[in-house]
Amino acid sequence: MNLTIRARLTLLYVLVLGASFLALFWIFDLGFRRSIEITVNDESQSNLETVQKVILNSAPKGAAKVRKELGELADLWANEAIFQVAQPNGEILFQSPPFLAPDFPFPPVAAEIICFTRNLEHSQYRIARRQIEIAGERYLIDTAVPTEPFDQALDRFRIIEKEFLPLLVLLASLLGYWLSGRALAPVNRIIESAEGIGVRNLQRRLEVPKAKDELRRLTETLNAMLERIELSVGRITQFTADASHDLRTPVALIRTNAELTLRHPRTQAEYRGALNRILELSEETSQLIEQLLTLARADAGETHLKYEIVPLTPLLERVSQQARVLADAKGLIFVKKLGGGAATRTVNGDPAALERLFLTVLDNAVKYTPTGGSVAFRLRAEDEQAVIEIEDTGMGIAEDELPRIFDRFYRADQARSREIRGCGLGLSIARWIAEMHKGTIEAESRLGEGSLFRIRVPAVTGVTNREFIFDEVSTSTNNVA
Ligand code: ADP
């Protein structure tokens, strides 16, 4: 059924109220009938007792006296109450006109009073009947009270009921419609303000109702959701802008290089130089595109990670070999200490992703440490976690910049001013990989003194890697900037 909530509420209201009115009217009707019954029974019984008294007083004086006294009593009763008195031999001592055919022979009647309803001369009467015995004589007494006035009152009451019920239901529907309208007014306001919110004005919020009710909670929840959406959209917009900007620079450089080279005839060596520069820029661009793709896939939830039980030491060994090449090339001291944390040397993870995580941080350590400095690569155990630390004695990061280095495209002033290659995506990918392994990555740093990056990954306990690695220290002999 495609009914609005307001229509449904009104319908429900009408149904509930209609049913309540019906039940109430039924109870009133029942009460009315019951009270009529009690009234007429009482009246006919009290009449019967009066007749009984008259017979009791007059019977010793003979039948004629009884007849006379009963006749006088009938004259006194002007309220349409009637009666008849008969004897078992069929003799009728008194009979009000509506009592036409006396029931002879006498029906077996108990000594106590019985009440019943009967039609006498087209009118309904409530009859009280009793058999009494006085001075050896038996008398049957019937006293009757007309029920018509009561029936008429009941009929009038029922007519009023019938007339009022639809009116009450109509009133209930109007009231229900008005009440549900009032109750739903804040919902309509929420709908109206929600309709006015789009991507262009995501900073707008829904009006929060004053009453501390469910609708207030709903608007507050929706507002919190809008806030998250605004933040995400802001990040996406920023990401797109930063990505386009970062892609434009190398592409423009490739183009300029090619254009300048082609402007005049060049020597073989000049062509080689230009092509090498273009190749370098293309590699940087491919790397940037690859990083962007990784982050886009991560955002879309397409992780492509294949988890397995990974013995950490061989993996860290492979990484350290690559890092050593980089450190050597830059003339840095590379210190490796991977023998610690024997109990936590196995993790559940994607080996390629983990390698990338450690290499990113090691590459940064090498990149941001001037020649002559040192880089340390350590493994230790802490609370069933493998803790991998990468420490350098490089340029360090300013205190106010430290919280932002894991943000996408963020590059600290030091890195930018010295024109060190990079686009600010490495650490955001590293953090994402750590999180995908239920791990963390944090940094400590002092400007001009160096940085320490700490990666924690939960270990798979019970599996140990028995491989024994000697701690070693290597000093670079090459001095390549
Ligand atoms: P990129 O290195 O490509 O600029 P990252 O996301 O890897 O991007 O790093 C973000 C920023 O954090 C870097 O630009 C640099 O300013 C700072 N940073 C990262 N590692 C170090 C480090 N070991 N020493 C000093 N600064 C660092």
Side-chain angles (χ1 to χ4, degrees):
M1 236 192 326
N2 285 334
L3 285 178
T4 59
I5 294 184
R6 188 175 190 182
R8 268 185 276 167
L9 278 178
T10 310
L11 200 70
L12 199 72
Y13 198 77
V14 170
L15 282 177
V16 170
L17 236 76
S20 311
F21 284 143
L22 269 177
L24 208 70
F25 284 167
W26 180 76
I27 291 168
F28 282 167
D29 199 82
L30 201 76
F32 207 146
R33 274 187 286 139
R34 186 89 193 97
S35 102
I36 289 175
E37 200 178 301
I38 291 169
T39 311
V40 290
N41 279 359
D42 285 356
E43 211 177 311
S44 53
Q45 278 175 33
S46 98
N47 286 355
L48 192 139
E49 272 153 21
T50 312
V51 173
Q52 192 177 310
K53 259 187 222 152
V54 169
I55 298 172
L56 204 67
N57 291 334
S58 53
K61 293 169 194 158
K65 181 70 177 166
V66 174
R67 273 203 186 88
K68 190 172 168 268
E69 293 283 320
L70 289 176
E72 280 171 15
L73 177 69
D75 293 342
L76 277 176
W77 282 351
N79 59 352
E80 295 183 29
I82 54 167
F83 65 95
Q84 70 175 351
V85 179
Q87 287 197 294
N89 58 5
E91 198 178 335
I92 293 170
L93 298 174
F94 183 84
Q95 188 176 56
S96 302
F99 284 107
L100 283 175
D103 302 326
F104 290 111
F106 265 17
V109 180
E112 63 267 18
I113 300 172
I114 56 157
C115 291
F116 54 92
T117 307
R118 180 163 293 171
N119 271 339
L120 302 169
E121 263 194 355
H122 313 299
S123 294
Q124 211 174 50
Y125 283 84
R126 188 71 180 163
I127 299 175
R129 172 172 286 178
R130 187 183 217 176
Q131 201 179 157
I132 53 166
E133 204 171 315
I134 303 164
E137 292 283 347
R138 285 205 295 136
Y139 300 89
L140 173 83
I141 311 167
D142 277 347
T143 52
V145 176
T147 59
E148 208 170 303
F150 298 102
D151 290 341
Q152 277 171 0
L154 184 66
D155 285 347
R156 272 198 297 277
F157 174 70
R158 283 180 176 161
I159 289 168
I160 292 170
E161 273 182 352
K162 273 187 200 141
E163 277 170 1
F164 269 87
L165 187 66
L167 200 72
L168 282 173
V169 171
L170 184 76
L171 274 176
S173 348
L174 291 176
L175 195 72
Y177 191 69
W178 179 73
L179 276 178
S180 47
R182 261 184 74 96
L184 291 171
V187 177
N188 285 331
R189 278 200 294 277
I190 294 172
I191 294 172
E192 273 162 29
S193 43
E195 274 171 352
I197 299 175
V199 181
R200 283 178 200 284
N201 56 358
L202 263 178
Q203 73 288 348
R204 268 177 62 178
R205 293 291 174 267
L206 302 174
E207 188 191 319
V208 180
K210 284 189 189 72
K212 284 185 179 166
D213 54 11
E214 289 85 349
L215 287 177
R216 189 189 173 118
R217 268 183 51 215
L218 175 73
T219 30
E220 282 172 349
T221 313
L222 288 175
N223 278 345
M225 186 183 80
L226 277 173
E227 191 142 354
R228 289 196 299 276
I229 294 175
E230 188 193 354
L231 251 154
S232 304
V233 170
R235 260 193 242 124
I236 294 166
T237 317
Q238 188 63 40
F239 182 73
T240 318
D242 289 344
S244 328
H245 179 265
D246 273 50
L247 275 170
R248 207 171 53 184
T249 315
V251 172
L253 279 172
I254 291 172
R255 192 176 156 182
T256 319
N257 261 290
E259 274 173 1
L260 284 176
T261 314
L262 288 172
R263 204 166 277 174
H264 307 288
R266 308 276 173 187
T267 63
Q268 185 97 356
E270 282 174 327
Y271 280 125
R272 282 191 77 84
L275 280 173
N276 270 330
R277 179 79 190 121
I278 287 172
L279 185 67
E280 213 174 277
L281 287 165
S282 314
E283 274 167 3
E284 258 177 51
T285 317
S286 316
Q287 199 190 345
L288 175 61
I289 291 171
E290 195 272 328
Q291 284 180 323
L292 287 173
L293 211 63
T294 305
L295 285 171
R297 280 191 182 137
D299 288 346
E302 296 169 25
T303 58
H304 297 297
L305 297 182
K306 289 190 186 73
Y307 294 90
E308 57 184 78
I309 300 294
V310 186
L312 258 189
T313 27
L315 184 139
L316 295 177
E317 267 303 310
R318 278 198 304 278
V319 172
S320 85
Q321 273 164 20
Q322 294 178 59
R324 186 191 306 282
V325 175
L326 296 172
D328 285 353
K330 204 174 172 189
L332 300 177
I333 301 168
F334 185 74
V335 184
K336 180 181 74 170
K337 208 172 177 202
L338 304 177
T344 54
R345 274 196 231 138
T346 314
V347 296
N348 182 17
D350 179 301
L354 286 171
E355 265 190 52
R356 182 175 187 176
L357 159 64
F358 302 132
L359 254 179
T360 304
V361 184
L362 278 165
D363 182 45
N364 276 352
V366 172
K367 223 163 55 172
Y368 298 110
T369 304
T371 307
S374 68
V375 173
F377 189 28
R378 295 188 293 264
L379 166 69
R380 63 183 172 84
E382 198 181 289
D383 301 334
E384 303 199 339
Q385 281 185 327
V387 182
I388 297 102
E389 287 177 340
I390 292 149
E391 193 170 14
D392 65 62
T393 57
M395 62 174 69
I397 304 156
E399 207 182 326
D400 57 326
E401 291 186 297
L402 200 57
R404 302 192 56 194
I405 56 168
F406 294 98
D407 291 352
R408 291 174 185 187
F409 293 105
Y410 188 79
R411 304 204 73 211
D413 279 347
Q414 288 282 318
R416 260 178 283 135
S417 63
R418 295 193 194 180
E419 293 191 348
I420 300 170
R421 68 181 167 81
C423 58
L425 289 177
L427 285 183
S428 33
I429 294 176
R431 184 172 61 179
W432 171 73
I433 297 174
E435 282 167 0
M436 290 310 292
H437 287 79
K438 297 189 174 65
T440 55
I441 177 167
E442 58 192 27
E444 289 169 18
S445 188
R446 267 175 185 277
L447 198 59
E449 289 181 23
S451 316
L452 168 68
F453 284 81
R454 193 175 293 117
I455 300 155
R456 294 172 197 271
V457 190
V460 181
T461 44
V463 190
T464 51
N465 177 15
R466 302 204 163 273
E467 196 176 342
F468 187 77
I469 311 285
F470 287 101
D471 294 343
E472 53 176 293
V473 175
S474 96
T475 312
S476 161
T477 42
N478 301 334
N479 267 340
V480 182

